Amino acid sequence: MSKYDVIVLGSGPGGYVTAIRASQLGLKTAVVEKESLGGVCLNWGCIPTKALLKSAEVFNYLKHAEDYGLTVKEADKDFDAVVNRSRGVANGMSKGVQFLMKKNKIDVINGFGKVKAGKKVEVKDEEGNTKDYQADHIVIATGARSRELPNLPQDGEKVIGYREAMSLKKQPKKMIVVGSGAIGVEFAHFYNAMGTEVTIVEYLPNLVPLEDTDVSKEFEKSFKKAGIKVMTNASVESVDTSGDTVKAKVKTKKGEETIEADVVLSAVGIKTNIENIGLEDLGIKTDKDKIIVNEWYQTNVPGYYAIGDVTPGAALAHVASAEGILCVEKIKGMHVEALDYGNIPGCTYASPEIASVGMTEKQAKEAGYELKIGKFPFSASGKASASGKKEGFVKVIYDAKYGEWLGCHMIGAGVTDMIAEAVLGRKLETTGHEVLKAVHPHPTMSEAVMEATAAAYDEVIHL
Ligand SMILES: Cc1cc2nc3c(=O)[nH]c(=O)nc-3n(C[C@H](O)[C@H](O)[C@H](O)COP(=O)(O)OP(=O)(O)OC[C@H]3O[C@@H](n4cnc5c(N)ncnc54)[C@H](O)[C@@H]3O)c2cc1C
């Protein structure tokens, strides 16, 4: 039986990063994967969606070329080619992980893995043959899939999840998106930009409900302006797929409404891949669909660990990777600090983009802080004007007493590339005064962080 120091089950951004770090630390490592290397993130999540969204952005530029003094005779799209480009990008990224596995001398074992007693992993290959592998440490990183609601069963054709949504053969004329988290609004924006008539249904009062309320409201305004029908405080009660189209019964505060579409995308969250992987046989504890771990990602059974989407916490690729790195560094006996889950950035790549870290205004108030809040609109930014992208703002939240940077919330073009400043600032425990005095380059969108901070301290220049 092959023996390893570390076997990782699943090769998503949690699993493959864990494996690389383990190998860097001199641990003999293998990764077990039942599909393509790279997990949801590279194959069916972060990367292919961003490729689709880039096509949407370019298409929007072409449609509005005259705004930039340019003439495009007839901007048109080839939906098939857009989808194929996205699949090509995903395949390329997966091959990149293959290269990294080789480079780091990590064994890739293809097949469905199951943890067993005695620190073993049983792998069943495509032909149904099984083989056992042994390791001192087994890291479960099997990720998650689209969650199905009982009243919204997915048939993969008329009621679909995110995998189908990024690989449809034919562009739907009308689409209903259920759920307005990051995944829902990214697809709503993409299909709307491609010319599909989109309705988005959100159960809570605001779109992107986890964001600061100011951001949610601004986002809703932009979505409506772009022609997306927004239904908040609304829920899809049932769907009828018996005809050529799909009819969704939507309950709103005003009563019930039936909406017809070609396709309903269910984007209501995720369901972890924890079934049939041996957890029950070993007595590994789970709660509310997640594997329970301590701050070093150890399960209740020694030698077995879990990281990424299968554990509690934000289901994000960068969280999965950070957890995996910490998990193996601790295994190796390094002195490491536990992850600060209060300083994880969240990004949404629709148009406008959203990026945030730390507390919302409501959370900071509820925590009892006295606040200094500053907001700088991109309508007052030179770079935003030059780019023709004046929507949105940066909002910063500081503790009035010590100047601690409690939260940063951004909405606008390219803000997902700007949020790392706030993450780093908060990690280094910077104060509002220091952010204000850190010279930001001109003209950039990032000046808005400095100006918003200046606004918080009544020193704003360009407002
Ligand atoms: C549409 C979409 C867009 C997203 N966009 C973003 C984004 O922009 N930014 C971001 O941070 N996050 C994004 N996410 C979330 C991100 O993809 C996940 O948080 C991330 O992939 C989780 O990584 P993971 O390693 O825990 O699991 P996964 O990426 O799910 O990987 C798990 C792997 O384990 C394999 N596996 C499962 N069970 C077994 C088994 N028994 N044996 C062998 N292999 C197994 C699976 O095949 C898979 O390859 C997005 C998700 C979706 C769906």
Side-chain angles (χ1 to χ4, degrees):
M1 187 192 315
S2 310
K3 169 94 172 48
Y4 293 91
D5 295 317
V6 175
I7 293 180
V8 189
L9 206 53
S11 74
Y16 85 77
V17 170
T18 305
I20 292 174
R21 187 67 187 123
S23 170
Q24 283 174 348
L25 293 170
L27 302 169
K28 188 171 181 241
T29 306
V31 145
V32 182
E33 175 54 60
K34 67 179 173 62
E35 292 183 41
S36 303
L37 289 173
V40 169
C41 173
L42 268 59
N43 296 289
W44 298 104
C46 325
I47 304 299
T49 50
K50 279 28 166 211
L52 295 176
L53 291 163
K54 181 49 95 175
S55 292
E57 185 188 355
V58 174
F59 192 34
N60 271 340
Y61 271 122
L62 293 177
K63 283 191 282 188
H64 298 107
E66 70 280 10
D67 295 350
Y68 296 86
L70 305 169
T71 310
V72 170
K73 287 260 157 49
E74 204 181 335
D76 204 357
K77 88 258 151 174
D78 175 344
F79 186 74
D80 250 8
V82 167
V83 170
N84 286 340
R85 173 179 179 272
S86 162
R87 297 317 310 151
V89 172
N91 293 339
M93 294 299 295
S94 182
K95 286 205 181 96
V97 176
Q98 217 172 313
F99 163 79
L100 289 174
M101 295 296 100
K102 214 167 168 188
K103 183 186 157 206
N104 287 283
K105 302 188 172 47
I106 295 160
D107 287 349
V108 175
I109 305 164
N110 298 309
F112 187 93
K114 185 176 169 183
V115 292
K116 285 180 35 174
K119 295 193 194 163
K120 283 187 209 143
V121 174
E122 177 194 281
V123 182
K124 193 187 242 181
D125 66 18
E126 272 187 350
E127 282 80 46
N129 305 313
T130 59
K131 189 173 170 192
D132 282 359
Y133 299 84
Q134 190 149 31
D136 292 333
H137 308 276
I138 294 166
V139 183
I140 303 164
T142 48
R145 58 186 187 270
S146 178
R147 182 160 78 105
E148 284 202 54
L149 294 180
N151 56 339
L152 209 55
Q154 294 177 23
D155 61 11
E157 284 181 14
K158 285 189 193 146
V159 182
I160 60 174
Y162 58 79
R163 281 200 190 207
E164 293 87 8
M166 69 185 82
S167 54
L168 285 179
K169 295 270 171 289
K170 197 169 155 233
Q171 183 185 349
K173 285 198 174 70
K174 287 185 183 180
M175 180 182 232
I176 299 168
V177 178
V178 185
S180 77
I183 296 176
V185 298
E186 287 182 15
F187 278 113
H189 162 59
F190 167 71
Y191 276 101
N192 178 61
M194 287 289 122
T196 295
E197 203 179 292
V198 177
T199 301
I200 188 159
V201 182
E202 168 57 54
Y203 180 71
L204 291 168
N206 294 319
L207 292 185
V208 282
L210 296 181
E211 299 296 339
D212 190 274
T213 312
D214 286 354
V215 168
S216 289
K217 285 189 176 143
E218 177 83 5
F219 188 77
E220 186 169 330
K221 257 197 310 189
S222 296
F223 250 35
K224 283 180 173 163
K225 202 170 140 200
I228 296 172
K229 183 173 173 195
V230 174
M231 299 177 80
T232 47
N233 287 311
S235 56
V236 173
E237 296 296 292
S238 62
V239 283
D240 173 4
T241 55
S242 58
D244 288 344
T245 59
V246 45
K247 291 189 182 98
K249 243 186 216 157
V250 183
K251 193 166 132 199
T252 68
K253 281 196 161 167
K254 288 182 199 149
E256 219 164 61
E257 204 178 307
T258 300
I259 307 176
E260 204 171 345
D262 302 304
V263 159
V264 174
L265 166 60
S266 173
V268 291
I270 55 168
K271 158 81 195 80
T272 57
N273 298 320
I274 56 170
E275 306 92 340
N276 310 318
I277 58 167
L279 301 183
E280 299 81 5
D281 303 344
L282 276 166
I284 293 177
K285 279 192 187 145
T286 60
D287 183 37
K288 296 190 189 89
D289 194 40
K290 306 269 179 152
I291 299 176
I292 299 305
V293 289
N294 66 11
E295 62 186 335
W296 308 118
Y297 310 103
Q298 295 157 337
T299 67
N300 58 309
V301 180
Y304 297 84
Y305 309 75
I307 56 131
D309 279 7
V310 281
T311 61
L316 292 168
H318 41 285
V319 173
S321 301
E323 290 176 346
I325 289 171
L326 273 181
C327 176
V328 280
E329 287 181 348
K330 191 71 182 173
I331 286 173
K332 185 69 184 173
M334 288 171 69
H335 177 73
V336 284
E337 256 179 54
L339 196 61
D340 176 4
Y341 286 91
N343 199 28
I344 302 290
C347 294
T348 301
Y349 301 78
S351 178
E353 291 186 350
I354 298 171
S356 57
V357 65
M359 291 185 208
T360 61
E361 182 176 342
K362 187 165 174 270
Q363 287 165 343
K365 279 185 179 150
E366 279 168 5
Y369 287 99
E370 205 181 306
L371 303 178
K372 278 207 176 291
I373 296 178
K375 215 166 155 185
F376 189 79
F378 286 119
S379 56
S381 148
K383 181 66 182 286
S385 283
S387 309
K389 297 280 176 193
K390 296 200 287 184
E391 274 181 308
F393 56 80
V394 171
K395 175 175 175 179
V396 288
I397 302 170
Y398 294 100
D399 159 41
K401 199 166 173 193
Y402 300 112
E404 185 186 350
W405 199 350
L406 298 173
C408 186
H409 307 273
M410 307 171 165
I411 175 164
V415 295
T416 54
D417 284 323
M418 279 165 55
I419 196 67
E421 171 178 359
V423 177
L424 185 63
R426 281 164 46 77
K427 173 89 183 156
L428 300 177
E429 297 182 3
T430 193
T431 63
H433 191 72
E434 287 166 330
V435 176
L436 179 53
K437 294 300 174 195
V439 178
H440 284 59
H442 177 74
T444 59
M445 299 290 274
S446 71
E447 285 172 290
V449 177
M450 182 178 66
E451 287 275 33
T453 303
Y457 290 92
D458 295 324
E459 293 182 33
V460 68
I461 302 292
H462 291 98
L463 272 186

